[in-house]
Amino acid sequence: MASVLWLDFEGVVVEPGLTDTIVGEFAVSPPAAGTNGSETALAAAIGEFEAPREEVQSRVREVARLRPGFEELVGWAQWHGWLPIVVSTAPDVCVETVLEDPGFDRVTRHCGRTRQVYRWRLTYASPRGVELEEGFLLSYAAALRDAGDLVAYVGHEGAGRQAAGLAYASCTSGALRDSLGEGERTFGFETLADVQEILEREGEAWRAGFSSGNASGPA
């Protein structure tokens, strides 16, 4: 059993809005702001990109703002036996570019994958390698659950509601917090230091309850 710390990208790794900004600048007909959690909407918009990858990556580096406390949270998690993974519908041209810092080379990431052969194309694949049009986040949440892993979900985007619902515990902010509220193992947070404090306070009890077979399902 692994203790997995699921980290959303928008609003957790970076300040919210990076993907919206990049799509808004490079797509001919970008979707409305806030709809980029939809795999189909995002794939359609990125399919309209005409700029070379290097130009898009350069712009990502210019506008991305790593969320304060992210490095510290990752370091704490790795030191205390949590496996941090970033799972997001955001494209790799955003996710991989932000996480290219050598300090994050041990952070597993699953996201949309882009190719540029004549035209841009964004695709999503399940953990089994099956190409998906929707349900990317849910496919990973289900796979981790079926593997018997304890998952603590840290998210901001409302698109993660179903995936967060499969986690044993969750820390939420923004639209996701508005959607899920708070409960026995569902905590709101304002800063990533709050997330670390919740893990320090509750993490061992989650592990004990989960491993003893007392897990009662989603938080």
Side-chain angles (χ1 to χ4, degrees), residues 19-208:
T19 304
D20 280 341
T21 297
I22 296 303
V23 169
E25 291 187 12
F26 289 99
V28 175
S29 304
T35 64
N36 287 340
S38 164
E39 293 96 315
T40 53
L42 190 52
I46 287 181
E48 298 178 346
F49 282 20
E50 296 180 351
R53 176 176 292 272
E54 293 76 14
E55 182 179 341
V56 179
Q57 290 174 317
S58 177
R59 186 59 179 148
V60 169
R61 294 185 187 103
E62 289 176 356
V63 301
R65 297 291 178 269
L66 199 68
R67 182 137 187 202
F70 177 70
E71 294 175 85
E72 291 79 3
L73 177 60
V74 167
W76 182 93
Q78 292 172 331
W79 185 257
H80 289 85
W82 290 88
L83 175 65
I85 65 172
V86 173
V87 189
S88 174
T89 56
D92 55 0
V93 72
C94 291
V95 176
E96 297 287 4
T97 302
V98 169
L99 295 176
E100 65 186 358
D101 186 297
F104 303 133
D105 60 356
R106 293 176 60 196
V107 178
T108 302
R109 67 287 309 253
H110 304 288
C111 57
R113 295 294 167 183
T114 56
R115 291 186 306 231
Q116 188 184 17
V117 182
Y118 304 114
R119 296 182 62 85
W120 282 76
R121 185 167 184 257
L122 172 67
T123 58
Y124 296 90
S126 74
R128 293 181 178 273
V130 177
E131 189 168 324
L132 302 170
E133 291 187 1
E134 293 285 354
F136 174 72
L137 300 180
L138 193 57
S139 74
Y140 273 88
L144 291 169
R145 179 199 60 189
D146 293 346
D149 294 332
L150 185 162
V151 177
Y153 188 107
V154 183
H156 177 87
E157 298 286 285
R161 187 181 190 282
Q162 287 183 297
L166 291 184
Y168 183 74
S170 60
C171 301
T172 62
S173 66
L176 187 58
R177 182 177 183 178
D178 293 341
S179 177
L180 291 181
E182 297 192 17
E184 182 182 358
R185 296 193 301 273
T186 304
F187 300 83
F189 73 90
E190 299 297 330
T191 70
L192 295 185
D194 295 338
V195 174
Q196 182 174 325
E197 189 276 330
I198 292 166
L199 289 168
E200 289 175 340
R201 186 181 71 239
E202 306 287 345
E204 289 308 311
W206 292 344
R207 284 171 166 160

